Amino acid sequence: MAGFIGNKGLYSSWFVVAESEDVDPGPHAVRLLGEDLVLWRTTDGSLSVVLDRCPHREAPLSIGEVSDGRLTCAYHGWIFGDGGRCEGVPSSGANAAIPPTAHLAPMQVEERYGLVWVCPSEPSGQIPVIAHEDEASFRRINSGIDVWKVSATRMVDNFLDISHFPYVHTGTFGGAQPPDVPKLELEQLDADFFGYAYEVDAANPEAASTASGSTEDVVHRHMSTGFHLPFTVRSTVAYEDGLEHIILLCSTPVDDVTSLFTFVIWRNDDHDVDPEETIAFDRAIGAEDKLMLEQLPGVLPFSRTGVVNVQSDKPSVEWRRQFVELLGVDA
Ligand code: FES
Ligand SMILES: [Fe+2]
């Protein structure tokens, strides 16, 4: 398929563009769906997001400065307050009227799970709910934002796929898994995620023992994997001893072939164990996927004949069907 970036069907979705701690107070520049945006915190701590282009002479606002919750353009000092309202044009003097066209249009922004989510237009749905966020026995661990030189379409395809485990993840958990994939039954996993449940024997090398909470060579996992349109995937892992590990995989199109990636973990483990040590194994797994995915060309083909699909690709084929429907294009 050709690029999807300009497709208005995506503008009503929520995308992760940063971690909350990245905007302190800003300006913080991000690129989403081919558009440059700038984020900053206003005095009450809330976020403002606008196009990163001053209405005066189009200087990037992200090279300006934030002071007292207001963003000052680096070129002629115009001042922008909450939601991009222009509050000062120094060259016109203190009492001059502000031209109505000097105000910037704010985008929808929310902070959830330590992440900053932006919706470029009127949201058509909610940010997916992770119920463990509010359960005291679970803690959340954020991983930081990474840039992957691959289409977000390829990332979702990969995150829904288990048939690559014994090949791509040989250095981590994939070695114990037979290559044949059981028949996957797709279902609505809960209100926000559609996917499948499965069982797997995962290799449990020493590097995985903190994450799995076990020193056995192989651990049995009850798992589910599901997607929330357009590009969010959740995997849940439950070990036999009651340990649960939930991973939210967020892919954000910077453009058609470049993406932001971050993952968030929720675990009902010993909260005193170093978070970085706890997610080191997931980082290693992500690095294996990244290494493979960055070899793949362009956008994932969406036509039924664009790539060959087999039984184990069923979850990805269903995601593509729903994604193409969201875009409103012919596959
Ligand atoms: S370009 Fe921003 S104030 Fe002139
Ligand atoms: Fe993978």
Side-chain angles (χ1 to χ4, degrees), residues 157-174:
D157 178 58
N158 171 274
F159 299 152
L160 294 173
D161 166 42
I162 60 178
S163 65
H164 72 280
F165 289 178
Y167 303 97
V168 168
H169 296 300
T170 46
T172 52
F173 71 99

Side-chain angles (χ1 to χ4, degrees), residues 67-133:
S67 162
D68 290 334
R70 304 196 301 173
L71 175 57
T72 300
C73 179
Y75 197 178
H76 310 92
W78 288 25
I79 298 164
F80 299 91
D82 196 359
R85 249 196 109 61
C86 185
E87 295 178 355
V89 175
S91 62
S92 300
N95 298 318
I98 306 278
T101 48
H103 303 304
L104 297 162
M107 287 184 191
Q108 305 269 348
V109 57
E110 284 199 26
E111 291 183 82
R112 192 85 52 86
Y113 318 135
L115 304 172
V116 177
W117 302 72
V118 168
C119 177
S121 180
E122 215 33 59
S124 61
Q126 305 285 320
I127 294 166
V129 173
I130 305 292
H132 305 86
E133 174 78 358

Side-chain angles (χ1 to χ4, degrees), residues 142-285:
N142 287 87
S143 68
I145 304 277
D146 195 11
V147 178
W148 289 22
K149 298 247 170 265
V150 63
S151 174
T153 57
R154 299 274 191 192
M155 295 165 78
V156 175
D157 178 58
N158 171 274
F159 299 152
L160 294 173
D161 166 42
I162 60 178
S163 65
H164 72 280
F165 289 178
Y167 303 97
V168 168
H169 296 300
T170 46
T172 52
F173 71 99
Q177 194 185 331
D180 54 314
V181 173
K183 201 165 180 316
L184 303 172
E185 296 299 335
L186 299 179
E187 58 184 326
Q188 196 70 44
L189 296 170
D190 58 25
D192 288 337
F193 290 92
F194 187 83
Y196 56 98
Y198 61 106
E199 309 268 321
V200 69
D201 282 328
N204 192 47
E206 199 179 332
S209 59
T210 305
S212 67
S214 166
T215 53
E216 301 289 321
D217 290 343
V218 174
V219 282
H220 191 71
R221 295 166 158 190
H222 303 267
M223 299 195 58
S224 77
T225 295
F227 64 83
H228 179 93
L229 287 176
F231 299 115
T232 308
V233 173
R234 183 196 64 187
S235 269
T236 67
V237 183
Y239 295 96
E240 308 261 272
D241 63 0
L243 175 66
E244 289 184 63
H245 184 96
I246 289 89
I247 314 171
L248 192 67
L249 302 150
C250 305
S251 310
T252 297
V254 170
D255 55 39
D256 279 315
V257 291
T258 314
S259 309
L260 302 180
F261 172 68
T262 192
F263 68 90
V264 186
I265 303 286
W266 288 263
R267 281 169 67 87
N268 59 347
D269 63 354
D270 176 356
H271 295 194
D272 291 333
V273 176
D274 178 3
E276 217 19 76
E277 198 182 312
T278 306
I279 63 167
F281 197 62
D282 283 314
R283 282 196 194 284
I285 295 168

